[in-house]
Amino acid sequence: MDRRFPVSLFLSAVSLALAAGAHARVHEEAFDLPVQVTHSSGKRFSQPIRVTVWTDDANPKPSPVLVLNHGRAPDAEGRQKLGRARYGDAARFFLRHGFIVAVPTRIGYGVSGGEDLENSGPCQRKSYAPGFAAAADQVAATLEAIRQRPDAAQDRAVIAGQSFGGATTLAAAGRNLPGVVAAIDFAGGAGGNPKLQPGRPCSPHLLESTLGSYGKTARVPVLWLYAQNDQYFGPTHPREWFDAFRAAGGTGEFIEFPPQGEDGHQTFARFPQTWHPPVAAFLERQGFPALRPDPVAPETVPAAGAPPLPAHVPTTRDEASHD
């Protein structure tokens, strides 16, 4: 399959005019990327997914690439309401470290649509690995496509993700994808339900063996970030998962934040001031540029000659955290 950056499938773009620089621009684009995913049943799925790409004219070129992965709503309605995954606030933080940021909306979610390939089965008989693998396939396709851009570095990439996207990040780290030098797991896991069983995810021992297994092959450092009052996974399971990852041969560090609001699982979306410092320090240790000062809040203006964003694209919903 040809996965060259599909300029012809370009859908929309906006430019954010930064008051801090007369000519600097932050650009948001969205395009459709054809992907192929093999389900655990053996059935092969081929369809396009929507990928949002953030770039900053002020960054040196070629720029390192960061693929940022969204979480999973517990119900089909929530997964559809994701719309187009954007993570605008988080993307701008990573832009200030010099990255091109790509946010894929995976199969089964929002504007990408399609079958739910990440369903892991009933609570007491979870099979987590196939769903993580399907998601990691899409991470690999996204990374390969973005690396074809002339402004993208070939040898400097990071994978990051929140909740189910964090677990996807671990699965992708275990594949040692070309150019990937580090990974960041924001409250990664699956099977949590804060309403029905707060702090008690389904089959945590299976999550331990699955997430731990990625340490056997991962050869990049992974930063694990969790909060004590995570209502999806609780205060003890994430540390056990990290220990299993380390015991299998993985490298990285685990940071447990003090309680964040009513649910620490929302730290990524709602408490960026908590995770910005350790993530910035981690990226600098991997040789990425130091965090640039935060510019004045940008004014949104259309890019020259670009069509407006579709009216159905959400602006805040996809900032929320899910399983």
Side-chain angles (χ1 to χ4, degrees), residues 45-210:
F45 292 84
S46 298
Q47 72 164 77
I49 62 172
R50 190 75 51 85
V51 180
T52 299
V53 182
W54 297 87
T55 57
D56 188 338
D57 288 347
N59 288 339
K61 307 298 187 294
S63 303
V65 176
L66 185 138
V67 179
L68 183 57
N69 301 295
H70 63 76
R72 173 181 173 82
D75 55 80
E77 180 181 6
R79 292 190 290 276
Q80 178 57 41
K81 287 182 177 178
L82 177 68
R84 175 169 62 87
R86 298 176 64 241
Y87 287 130
D89 291 342
R92 281 187 283 272
F93 168 81
F94 290 114
L95 288 177
R96 289 164 55 207
H97 272 291
F99 288 96
I100 295 172
V101 180
V103 188
T105 302
R106 300 190 301 274
I107 295 174
Y109 296 85
V111 295
S112 293
E115 296 192 34
D116 180 13
L117 305 183
E118 299 173 2
N119 188 333
S120 53
C123 189
Q124 300 306 317
R125 298 190 304 278
K126 287 289 188 182
S127 179
Y128 287 115
F132 297 153
D137 286 343
Q138 296 165 74
V139 172
T142 300
L143 177 60
E144 183 178 344
I146 302 302
R147 290 174 70 241
Q148 303 306 310
R149 293 173 56 115
D151 58 347
Q154 296 292 303
D155 59 348
R156 300 287 288 169
V158 173
I159 302 171
Q162 192 273 335
S163 198
F164 195 99
T168 296
T169 294
L170 296 173
R175 297 186 180 191
N176 297 299
L177 299 173
V180 174
V181 298
I184 306 171
D185 163 23
F186 294 96
N193 191 319
K195 294 182 179 180
L196 299 180
Q197 47 190 52
R200 296 183 293 111
C202 294
S203 306
H205 62 292
L206 296 179
L207 267 177
E208 180 178 337
S209 61
T210 300

Side-chain angles (χ1 to χ4, degrees), residues 283-304:
L283 290 173
E284 288 185 42
R285 289 196 297 273
Q286 313 313 316
F288 292 103
L291 187 69
R292 295 200 315 265
D294 194 7
V296 177
E299 174 188 359
T300 302
V301 295

